């Protein structure tokens, strides 16, 4: 970085010696501003048109339009479209002027008006909130230890965190089914330890099983970005706090924790979004309607013969609710970036 800054300064000096760029004489007011402007030009690349750098985002934008915006607009077309009178299959309507909001309004009234969908949605929010809190309580100490105290074992621990990604989420949940069966390892261990007299059926619709399944499935996604955030905190910040007389506990709560706030938010967004759309954890570990999550109802509607418009309407409403979390995350990230630049 130091070499790059030196090269930039040398190049800016060379520009000053060009015709019209200054001859070493005292410069009038505003010369510093012009010099900083020329330095920025050098840093961005002299001679390159402005569209050159913008073109780098074209593949990502194309990917976003083709694989996100178009399918999401199709969801709107199904939710607000029609239905074939003979086969009862959905008929997407892509013209917004011809949209029919009847089915969408019916779903919205059941969610926000106290209907059965509201119960399932509140249950989903409860499961996800508890699971996210457990991820924070378990994941933060792990990420903190790896970033601050693990030295020779850091690489090994990071590989252990990445290892679950090598196995399908579905396969990991199926493994838990075998562990939690009445004759599974968990029940046998508890019986041998004398903690229980009879085997416990963990898979008969227990909310705790579904929540712990969510934690187990998504906690690696929480720890890794949080570790990256903690690892970026410079040791000089912590040493400065200690030099000023702060205790290790005070240093953690006044320096480390605030500086890792963006990492906590990023990790939270990464796990919250798929948790709200998760339906197979409950299907595999419970299979009971009493523990159904909102995504389970969407899955049931989309696999029924006549519920496509209803399922699409539920997708739109759930996505709108999740935009609140995304909006807060983006606002917080933008604010933190401005504070850093200041």
């Amino acid at each position: 970085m130091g070499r790059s800054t030196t090269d930039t300064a040398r190049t800016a000096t060379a520009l000053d010696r060009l015709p019209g760029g200054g001859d070493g004489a005292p410069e009038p007011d505003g010369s510093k501003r012009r010099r900083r402007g020329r330095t920025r030009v050098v840093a961005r690349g002299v001679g390159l048109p402005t569209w050159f750098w913008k073109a780098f985002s074209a593949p990502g934008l194309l990917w976003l339009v083709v694989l996100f915006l178009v399918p999401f607009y199709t969801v709107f077309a199904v939710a607000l479209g029609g239905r074939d009178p003979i086969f009862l299959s959905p008929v997407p309507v892509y013209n917004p002027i011809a949209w029919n909001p009847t089915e969408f309004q019916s779903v919205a009234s059941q969610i926000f008006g106290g209907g059965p969908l509201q119960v399932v949605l509140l249950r989903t929010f409860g499961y996800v909130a508890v699971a996210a809190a457990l991820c924070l309580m378990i994941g933060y100490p792990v990420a903190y230890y790896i970033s601050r105290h693990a030295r020779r074992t850091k690489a090994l621990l990071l590989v252990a965190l990445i290892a679950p990604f090598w196995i399908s989420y579905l396969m990991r949940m199926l493994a838990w089914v075998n562990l939690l069966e009445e004759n599974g390892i968990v029940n046998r261990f508890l019986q041998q330890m004398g903690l229980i007299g009879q085997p416990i059926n963990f898979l008969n619709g227990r909310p705790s099983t579904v929540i712990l399944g969510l934690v187990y499935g998504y906690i690696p996604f929480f720890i890794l970005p949080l570790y990256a955030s903690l690892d970026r905190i410079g040791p000089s910040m912590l040493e400065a706090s200690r030099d000023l007389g702060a205790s290790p506990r005070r240093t953690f709560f006044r320096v480390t924790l605030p500086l890792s706030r963006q990492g906590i938010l990023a990790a939270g967004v990464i796990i919250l979004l798929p948790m709200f759309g998760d339906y197979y954890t409950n299907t595999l570990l419970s299979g009971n309607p009493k523990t159904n999550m909102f995504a389970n109802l969407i899955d049931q509607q989309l696999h029924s013969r006549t519920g496509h418009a209803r399922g699409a309407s539920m997708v739109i409403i759930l996505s709108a609710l999740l935009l609140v979390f995304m909006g807060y995350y983006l606002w917080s990230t933008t604010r933190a970036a401005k504070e850093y630049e200041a």
Side-chain angles (χ1 to χ4, degrees), residues 205-217:
R206 292 173 178 268
S208 58
T209 305
V210 179
I211 292 172
L212 292 178
L214 291 173
V215 173
Y216 167 75

Side-chain angles (χ1 to χ4, degrees), residues 291-312:
T291 57
N292 267 351
M293 298 176 68
F294 201 70
N296 289 108
L297 300 186
I298 295 175
D299 179 59
Q300 292 171 6
Q301 294 296 330
L302 295 180
H303 283 87
S304 66
R305 187 178 179 184
T306 60
H308 293 82
R310 189 176 179 81

Side-chain angles (χ1 to χ4, degrees), residues 83 101-123 294 297-298 300-301 307 309-311 313-314 317-318 321:
R83 181 185 300 176
T102 305
E103 190 69 42
F104 183 83
Q105 290 173 346
S106 172
V107 173
S109 64
Q110 291 189 28
I111 292 178
F112 301 107
L117 291 180
Q118 186 185 67
V119 176
V120 180
L121 184 63
L122 292 177
R123 181 192 302 149
F294 201 70
L297 300 186
I298 295 175
Q300 292 171 6
Q301 294 296 330
R310 189 176 179 81
S313 300
M314 294 165 68
I317 294 174
L318 181 61
L321 294 175

Side-chain angles (χ1 to χ4, degrees), residues 181-261:
E181 286 178 341
E182 291 190 26
N183 59 348
I185 295 176
V186 174
N187 270 314
R188 280 184 287 173
F189 174 77
L190 294 176
Q191 284 182 305
Q192 290 178 359
M193 296 295 293
L195 299 176
I196 58 174
Q198 297 294 328
I200 299 176
N201 190 353
F202 292 103
L203 305 175
N204 64 343
R206 292 173 178 268
S208 58
T209 305
V210 179
I211 292 172
L212 292 178
L214 291 173
V215 173
Y216 167 75
Y218 292 101
I219 197 168
F221 297 95
F222 187 88
I223 294 177
L224 286 176
L226 185 55
Y227 157 75
S229 175
L230 289 168
D231 197 51
R232 284 199 299 268
I233 299 176
S236 59
M237 302 288 290
L238 308 179
E239 293 172 359
S241 175
R242 298 297 301 276
D243 291 342
L244 292 173
S247 64
R249 181 179 179 182
R250 189 175 178 85
T251 299
F252 173 78
F253 284 105
R254 299 297 297 271
V255 179
T256 304
L257 191 58
L259 290 178
S260 62
R261 181 168 172 267

Side-chain angles (χ1 to χ4, degrees), residues 3 11 23 67 73 105 109 149 157 169 173 184-185 195 220 223 246 248 318 342:
R3 184 178 179 181
T11 311
D23 53 3
L67 298 179
Y73 187 77
Q105 290 173 346
S109 64
H149 300 288
L157 293 174
Y169 184 91
M173 287 297 114
I185 295 176
L195 299 176
I223 294 177
L318 181 61

